[in-house]
Amino acid sequence: MLKVEQVSQHFGSFRALDEISFEMNKGEIVGLLGKNGAGKTTLMRILTTFAAPSSGLVLMNGENIAKHSLNIRKKLGYLPENPPLYTDMTVQSYLKFAAEIKDVAKNKQQSQLAKVLHECDLEKVKHKTIATLSKGYKQRVGIAQAIIHEPQLLILDEPTSGLDPIQIQQVLTLIKQQREQRTLLLSTHNLSEIEQVAQRVILIKSGKIVLDKALDTLLSANQPSPLTLEQVFFSYHQAPSQLSDQARERRPHE
Ligand code: ATP
């Protein structure tokens, strides 16, 4: 459903993304990994049509997203690192507003509002002003606005950042529930979260994809001592001279 072809992004002479190519299939949850500054947010901004790439092409269901950005935005939901919440609004009025600007049909707005309030467990705070909510609730409001128009593709940039362990589990449960309805791209620095929810992992290093693999294949490859995602992640950020032969073989893209 999503095809990314040779996407590069330059900021002056700096290459934030360097010929990124990958595909995502319907119903997949893909974890996007990379150190600070690897290029994850830059990629997500391009996929959500908030930025245009310097070169390359992104197709959603065969449509070039750059040429059909208004139509494409109706099919995708985006939770940026810092969700643009209007914090002086109540949860309910903000989500009504989100439904309106995302072109949810008038006769469906009420049912969609009820659906996301329920799915994101926001019913008991729906009359509260967003500014007064805990970070975990604010994040759920951010997810609710991202799914209120039933997008096919949901892109979440560090959705659990700054949450406590209980709030993290609540958000992860919510993410897992989305799997049946949509395709998901999720960026987080917490590798155990990716292990819990994703089926596939894409690792970006200095703007290039260095790993794109099904999670179970990746983690079971090193029998009889299966690796954790953390060990895999570190192996991609060590100098080749520090790596074992096995780890070097696992870095086919470099
Ligand atoms: P983090 O995990 O810290 O959010 P990231 O992987 O999302 O990092 P990006 O925000 O995509 O990384 O940034 C990739 C690189 O591009 C960084 O070196 C960043 O400084 C640079 N960059 C991003 N936006 C711009 C911009 N508008 N102008 C210049 N450089 C930029």
Side-chain angles (χ1 to χ4, degrees):
M1 66 103 52
L2 187 79
K3 195 167 187 189
V4 179
E5 290 181 348
Q6 305 265 304
V7 163
S8 295
Q9 183 67 293
H10 304 168
F11 295 115
S13 60
F14 175 68
R15 275 189 178 209
L17 293 178
D18 192 1
E19 304 205 337
I20 296 272
S21 298
F22 66 93
E23 288 185 32
M24 281 177 66
N25 301 315
K26 193 163 178 276
E28 256 189 324
I29 299 189
V30 176
L32 184 63
L33 301 179
K35 288 200 304 188
N36 289 129
K40 305 177 298 292
T41 299
T42 303
L43 176 61
M44 289 181 159
R45 285 177 55 76
I46 291 171
L47 300 184
T48 51
T49 75
F50 284 94
S54 309
S55 59
L57 195 62
V58 181
L59 302 170
M60 190 172 166
N61 300 326
E63 255 185 317
N64 180 347
I65 68 162
K67 290 201 175 137
H68 306 276
S69 60
L70 286 180
N71 192 29
I72 292 294
R73 281 186 196 191
K74 289 181 196 162
K75 296 181 189 165
L76 61 84
Y78 180 34
L79 178 72
E81 222 173 328
N82 300 302
L85 302 175
Y86 292 105
T87 53
D88 54 345
M89 292 174 96
T90 65
V91 171
Q92 182 163 270
S93 51
Y94 171 71
L95 291 175
K96 273 187 191 162
F97 168 70
E100 188 75 38
I101 59 168
K102 285 161 191 262
D103 268 352
V104 176
K106 284 259 180 286
N107 62 354
K108 288 207 173 139
Q109 288 185 1
Q110 205 52 41
S111 59
Q112 280 307 108
L113 174 67
K115 184 169 182 248
V116 296
L117 285 172
H118 176 70
E119 263 183 44
C120 301
D121 199 12
L122 290 166
E123 279 143 336
K124 58 179 175 290
V125 296
K126 66 182 179 186
H127 297 304
K128 289 200 170 178
T129 307
I130 294 173
T132 66
L133 298 178
S134 68
K135 183 131 203 285
Y137 270 110
K138 282 188 187 137
Q139 206 66 344
R140 282 192 256 164
V141 176
I143 296 176
Q145 66 76 31
I147 60 175
I148 196 155
H149 56 308
E150 300 284 358
Q152 297 170 22
L153 175 66
L154 183 58
I155 296 185
L156 305 173
D157 196 355
E158 301 188 26
T160 58
S161 132
L163 304 189
D164 72 33
I166 292 169
Q167 292 170 333
I168 289 176
Q169 280 314 315
Q170 289 165 340
V171 168
L172 291 181
T173 303
L174 179 55
I175 290 171
K176 277 191 253 179
Q177 286 162 356
Q178 299 302 310
R179 180 164 28 198
E180 285 140 35
Q181 309 171 58
R182 4 193 168 266
T183 304
L184 259 105
L185 183 66
L186 162 76
S187 126
T188 169
H189 287 293
N190 188 325
L191 302 175
S192 79
E193 291 175 11
I194 296 282
E195 285 181 324
Q196 286 182 58
V197 299
Q199 291 126 6
R200 191 171 132 214
V201 174
I202 292 179
L203 173 61
I204 300 190
K205 184 177 170 188
S206 307
K208 286 182 195 276
I209 291 186
V210 292
L211 174 74
D212 180 354
K213 252 200 179 128
L215 192 59
D216 52 359
T217 313
L218 184 67
L219 299 185
S220 62
N222 205 45
Q223 296 300 348
S225 332
L227 296 168
T228 63
L229 191 53
E230 196 174 10
Q231 287 168 316
V232 173
F233 186 87
F234 279 117
S235 77
Y236 275 88
H237 292 92
Q238 281 171 331
S241 59
Q242 293 174 283
L243 293 171
S244 65
D245 289 343
Q246 268 177 325
R248 214 170 291 128
E249 279 165 24
R250 277 199 311 274
R251 288 170 41 163
H253 295 262
E254 290 180 298

